[in-house]
Amino acid sequence: MIARAGIATDYLGLDCVPGELPAPAGWLSPAEQAELACWRHPARKAQWMAGRRVAKRLVAEVLGMPVARLGEIEILSRDGAGRPVAPRVRVAGRMLPWSMSIAHTERGAMAAVCYDPDATVGVDLVVLGRDWSGLARMWFTPTEQHCLGAVGDDGTATLWAVKEAFYKAVNAGEPFAPRRFEVHPAAARQYACTYHGAAPAGERCEGAVHTGTIDGQISAVAVLPAARSTRRLSGDS
């Protein structure tokens, strides 16, 4: 776990899942089991369960709870109509005023929690080694595309992870539109990102994003002042 300024993160590799995950009924609430049932493919189910396990483990560590009590923690990321929303954390039935984000890939799952009420958090994982050549014009702004040739595929993966992490931290109640999030390198493994909102006049919102590598993947953690975030849409991908 990494903790700083009210932010904590944790990672669980899918190769650890068989020994880490007991039967769902032992640690998932009925509502969580209903969310799990929404996923049909076994691989996606495993990724979802890894995400919930690492997220609950992270909450327990922040609160000083033993792992044996993970069943008291409930994390839901769908509303009553089944639509995706930012993860909501309850402990023993009490809602915590925290911001949480979960990301998973075929390799593992990462969770980030912000227990500072003045900030929100977003996290993303991107597996290295992908060919991005056919996607740059669709997903990156002209300014970003100008930089892509110099950073290579790994750098492009980093920019994409930063975009997704910032989107989750903004949670502006709209579908993910990658070109509305423009990434600007700020320092080593640190990036700023400007959000151009959906309103006709546009809305600019800046936050800090920190990146790293884990298990052959780029990780990105975005932190945004809460006053600039409406926190209404997907924090679980």
Side-chain angles (χ1 to χ4, degrees), residues 72-85:
E72 298 178 27
I73 301 170
E74 182 181 66
I75 301 171
L76 299 176
S77 57
R78 293 183 182 270
D79 63 16
R83 295 169 298 200
V85 296

Side-chain angles (χ1 to χ4, degrees), residues 176-196:
F176 183 34
R179 289 164 67 94
R180 284 188 176 146
F181 297 85
E182 189 166 77
V183 178
H184 318 282
R189 293 187 180 273
Q190 296 185 29
Y191 296 80
C193 189
T194 300
Y195 166 59
H196 302 274

